[in-house]
Amino acid sequence: GGRHMRKKMLFIFNPRSGKGSIKTRLLDILDIFVKGGYEVTVHPTQAYMDGFKTAKKKAGDYDIVVASGGDGTLDEIVSGILRLGSNTPIGYIPAGSTNDFANSLHISKNMLQAATDIVEGVPHAFDVGKFNQDFFVYIAAFGLFTDVSYETNQDLKNILGHAAYILEGTQRIFNIKSYKLKVISEEAELEGEFIFGMVSNSTSVGGFKKLTGPDVMLDDGVFEVMFIRMPKTLLELNEIISSLVSGNDTKMIEAFKTSALTVIAEEEIPWTLDGEYGGEHTRVEIRNMKHAVEIMLPVNDKAPLINNVNEIPEAAGGAEVLRESDPSGISEDIQKQDTSLKQETSEETELSEK
């Protein structure tokens, strides 16, 4: 690197993540970091929340904190840094069974590539959710099927398919647990009985055509919110199922975007934050902490960020590195695809015209 001082890195990893997938790669990862100019302090997590405590205690003394593990590990490190009030950037090497956040930021699943991208990358700010006194990186949810472990569903999309499946298997509608509550935000006020609620910051949530359009960004300061009302009849139940599967509109599903909301319930509701238990609450204040954390990402335009850095500053690289910005990444994808796809699409349009 160009600096005289070696940069200091705190590397926190969960040795148990992804069946211990880091064990065979740890030396190579450390070598990449050291060759990249970092002096590395390594901390294998010892127990649940150890990553949080370590980050909270030490993040301020380092130039970067790198997490390796699943979404849970990342969550602990982000929460620790925020609780400390530090602005130390993070890096993430996904190693767990669930990596929704990594998927949505297009972080490489190859651990050595992810390590290289941290060393060569540039910091990008992303939003974090504040949930009362806690934090979440991509989703806070309650109700139906939130107790289904997220780890079995690589993508939260599966959860909604799973929801439709559970609902279809529900012989008696009134078996579903519902919660009487009020939702208050500038964009919408809801009241009634709900079987599910979710506040999400991620592009990987949903499989909802109407929710996760191409305009879902991880740094726009806005959440996607969805609440499903309690179905009173089979007809309403089927409406919910078909909406979950195909994105049809229904009065039974309330969806909107907001940067802050309050949920007030008559009884305590158990929530999950990023797939981990988030406690039982009658009142929840959720707000979007815009650009709260910076994460090192490669210089490309894959990540769903408004402020994406897809050009290396001239000081760092030559002018030849500069690329036309293509925020959607569409032209890049088109180039990659085979021309045979074009024929398919023309056939499809013929079909739709018929």
Side-chain angles (χ1 to χ4, degrees):
R3 283 203 222 167
H4 324 294
M5 296 272 299
R6 288 180 80 70
K7 296 170 288 183
K8 291 173 71 178
M9 174 190 293
L10 175 59
F11 180 33
I12 300 173
F13 69 91
N14 180 347
R16 292 164 300 283
S17 268
K19 305 185 180 69
S21 56
I22 195 164
K23 289 194 172 75
T24 55
R25 301 178 182 89
L26 185 56
L27 287 175
D28 291 329
I29 290 170
L30 292 176
D31 194 54
I32 289 167
F33 288 157
V34 170
K35 281 189 169 72
Y38 284 98
E39 186 181 309
V40 188
T41 304
V42 181
H43 184 95
T45 55
Q46 302 299 303
Y48 174 65
M49 290 309 277
D50 181 43
F52 168 79
K53 289 175 189 139
T54 306
K56 184 174 155 224
K57 202 163 101 190
K58 300 188 169 161
D61 305 332
Y62 291 87
D63 298 299
I64 185 170
V65 178
V66 175
S68 181
D71 281 341
T73 307
L74 174 76
D75 216 60
E76 287 190 27
I77 275 80
V78 168
S79 298
I81 289 173
L82 288 172
R83 187 60 61 81
L84 174 67
S86 158
N87 57 0
T88 305
I90 65 167
Y92 184 30
I93 301 179
S97 48
T98 341
N99 294 109
D100 281 319
F101 186 73
N103 294 343
S104 59
L105 278 176
H106 297 276
I107 293 170
S108 176
K109 289 185 182 63
N110 174 325
M111 294 175 85
L112 302 186
Q113 184 59 51
T116 304
D117 289 343
I118 290 168
V119 168
E120 295 176 357
V122 283
H124 292 67
F126 67 92
D127 305 337
V128 172
K130 190 162 198 296
F131 178 98
N132 289 349
Q133 293 311 304
D134 287 312
F135 304 97
F136 62 96
V137 174
Y138 61 96
I139 185 171
F142 72 83
L144 192 68
F145 55 81
T146 47
D147 50 353
V148 177
S149 163
Y150 287 163
E151 288 187 24
T152 57
N153 299 309
Q154 256 307 301
D155 226 331
L156 285 160
K157 287 185 179 129
N158 303 1
I159 287 190
L160 293 163
H162 187 77
Y165 171 78
I166 290 180
L167 285 169
E168 276 180 300
T170 311
Q171 298 306 308
R172 309 228 288 295
I173 297 172
F174 43 79
N175 282 352
I176 307 171
K177 176 85 181 110
S178 70
Y179 300 95
K180 278 201 173 119
L181 54 86
K182 257 189 198 152
V183 181
I184 302 160
S185 77
E186 270 187 36
E187 286 69 14
E189 294 211 6
L190 314 175
E191 198 167 346
E193 279 187 65
F194 295 87
I195 56 173
F196 176 71
M198 128 182 143
V199 179
S200 148
N201 183 32
S202 174
T203 52
S204 63
V205 177
F208 274 89
K209 294 194 175 63
K210 65 163 172 271
L211 253 194
T212 52
D215 53 346
V216 178
M217 293 291 191
L218 296 175
D219 61 342
D220 60 1
V222 181
F223 294 124
E224 310 280 312
V225 180
M226 182 182 74
F227 283 82
I228 304 180
R229 291 187 180 276
M230 173 74 179
K232 298 284 195 290
T233 64
L234 271 173
L235 188 69
E236 288 183 341
L237 179 62
N238 288 329
E239 251 184 56
I240 291 171
I241 293 165
S242 87
S243 179
L244 287 175
V245 173
S246 63
N248 303 338
D249 272 326
T250 163
K251 291 190 179 69
M252 299 303 293
I253 297 182
E254 305 277 2
F256 59 95
K257 292 171 185 273
T258 187
S259 57
L261 69 156
T262 304
V263 181
I264 302 165
E266 287 189 4
E267 59 179 302
E268 294 202 323
I269 300 181
W271 285 75
T272 59
L273 303 178
D274 294 338
E276 304 276 336
Y277 181 62
E280 302 199 357
H281 310 273
T282 49
R283 185 188 178 97
V284 171
E285 306 268 354
I286 300 176
R287 66 182 181 86
N288 191 303
M289 300 171 64
K290 190 172 179 177
H291 299 183
V293 178
E294 291 199 325
I295 186 166
M296 301 301 281
L297 295 174
V299 179
N300 64 30
D301 46 26
K302 287 201 175 77
L305 298 167
I306 298 166
N307 303 309
N308 203 338
V309 183
N310 48 21
E311 302 184 346
I312 292 182
E314 279 181 35
E320 77 278 358
V321 185
L322 298 178
R323 291 210 269 139
E324 286 299 304
S325 75
D326 173 23
S328 60
I330 289 168
S331 67
E332 199 183 347
D333 294 342
I334 292 169
Q335 286 160 13
K336 282 182 204 145
Q337 283 162 3
D338 205 302
T339 44
S340 64
L341 261 175
K342 287 178 189 143
Q343 292 159 0
E344 277 174 43
T345 45
S346 59
E347 280 167 33
E348 276 172 33
T349 46
E350 279 166 34
L351 284 174
S352 61
E353 279 163 18
K354 282 172 200 164

